[in-house]
Amino acid sequence: MTLPCLRNIRVGLKLWSRNLDLAQRAAELYREGWIGLIELYVVPQTFDDTIGVWRDLRVPFMLHCPHAAHGFNLAKAELLEPNTQKFREVQRFADALQVGVIVMHGGNRGDIEETIRQLKHLNDRRVCIENKPRLSLTGGTCIGHSPEEIAHIMGSANLMGFVLDFGHAICAANSAGVDAFGYIEKFMESKPSTFHIGDGDRTSEKDNHFNLGQGNFDIVRLVSFVPPHSTVTIETPTDTALGLADFVENVRYLRKALEQ
């Protein structure tokens, strides 16, 4: 089965590098036309045990660098060396899977200029910065929560691209007390070609990842910002016992939204 490609948009499936139990089903979804690529979050110290499985799938990939939950935080000067070591493993994944995009968070509870310094140190043209809510789930302030911060990071670190997370933008707009869609329009000035989408609480300052249709985001209006030839990764809860059947329902919902 080949599904029609609406606006030539590639749908991304977010998996972690240790999700080997979902690898073959993900490859089937690619062959069936449900997805266009896998966005693989690199869990530290998984390369040796997992790369053979992912490489053998023969599916396009983009990567997501570890974030603060796995001790990777660009905003902390004292973490430069462990950040560098974790990123070297991400580069091994990227080289093995022939990846052109590595999504990265700017860090939290630190300084934007330190984030820029470390991005320059890592010096990889495949890195794309992702916007974040202003407030992290643990209450710290995230780097890259505003359109101005994203533009400053991209220009100062000479980054190739920007990943616009709609849910994060809505949370950050709530923290700033401004209209979410106006905030997204400002983010669009940085010309994202990759997007993250999930559903959530449109009044919250903290990130939620609901299945599409389970929150109160205006999904149709959100996807209206997505230009043709972009990638949209669906970031929603996955019940591994369902074998990605819940993800397929999210793809159906997204495709209906793109049709409107």
Side-chain angles (χ1 to χ4, degrees):
M1 176 178 61
T2 301
L3 301 176
C5 189
L6 301 173
R7 285 194 263 158
N8 292 314
I9 288 171
R10 294 199 305 174
V11 175
L13 165 64
K14 182 78 168 285
L15 294 176
W16 285 21
S17 55
R18 64 189 182 200
N19 288 144
L20 299 184
D21 54 327
L22 299 176
Q24 290 301 322
R25 180 56 184 145
E28 291 171 2
L29 292 180
Y30 173 70
R31 292 192 293 270
E32 293 167 2
W34 289 103
I35 65 172
L37 80 163
I38 295 171
E39 182 175 327
L40 195 67
Y41 176 92
V42 175
V43 178
Q45 299 182 344
T46 59
F47 180 87
D48 291 337
D49 293 336
T50 69
I51 190 58
V53 173
W54 297 116
R55 186 168 46 204
D56 288 348
L57 293 186
R58 302 187 182 279
V59 171
F61 285 88
M62 59 189 292
L63 295 181
H64 198 301
C65 193
H67 48 52
H70 283 105
F72 186 93
N73 188 343
L74 294 176
K76 296 285 191 179
E78 64 271 23
L79 294 181
L80 174 61
E81 183 56 31
N83 287 342
T84 301
Q85 292 304 314
K86 289 181 175 70
F87 187 65
R88 296 299 175 239
E89 182 178 21
V90 175
Q91 290 177 309
R92 291 179 70 195
F93 270 99
D95 293 343
L97 299 175
Q98 300 182 326
V99 163
V101 172
I102 301 172
V103 184
M104 188 175 290
H105 293 179
N108 61 68
R109 298 179 185 267
D111 181 67
I112 190 171
E113 296 306 322
E114 179 61 26
T115 295
I116 292 167
R117 184 178 80 89
Q118 293 202 26
L119 284 168
K120 289 180 177 179
H121 171 75
L122 297 179
N123 190 31
D124 194 312
R125 293 287 294 163
R126 295 170 290 191
V127 169
C128 295
I129 193 73
E130 177 184 349
N131 65 300
K132 291 290 292 173
R134 186 179 188 278
L135 295 179
S136 73
L137 293 176
T138 57
T141 299
C142 296
I143 304 299
H145 62 81
S146 70
E148 293 77 15
E149 284 197 348
I150 288 295
H152 178 50
I153 292 168
M154 290 182 67
S156 299
N158 193 28
L159 298 184
M160 64 161 283
F162 164 45
V163 176
L164 175 53
D165 186 300
F166 287 120
H168 293 172
I170 291 170
C171 292
N174 291 334
S175 294
V178 300
D179 174 68
F181 293 106
Y183 218 52
I184 290 170
E185 287 179 357
K186 291 182 180 179
F187 275 119
M188 291 297 297
E189 294 176 7
S190 291
K191 302 186 184 307
S193 59
T194 301
F195 299 81
H196 287 170
I197 195 165
D199 214 330
D201 177 0
R202 64 188 176 199
T203 67
S204 177
E205 293 185 59
K206 292 191 176 182
D207 192 22
N208 299 293
H209 287 276
F210 298 162
N211 286 301
L212 300 183
Q214 299 300 308
N216 56 20
F217 285 176
D218 186 342
I219 302 297
V220 172
R221 188 168 179 187
L222 290 177
V223 298
S224 72
F225 286 96
V226 179
H229 309 290
S230 299
T231 296
V232 180
T233 295
I234 299 174
E235 289 195 323
T236 51
T238 297
D239 184 343
T240 57
L242 298 178
L244 297 177
D246 49 356
F247 176 80
V248 169
E249 291 308 307
N250 282 299
V251 177
R252 293 184 194 275
Y253 193 101
L254 176 63
R255 297 180 72 83
K256 289 180 181 178
L258 288 166
E259 291 173 347
Q260 298 185 43

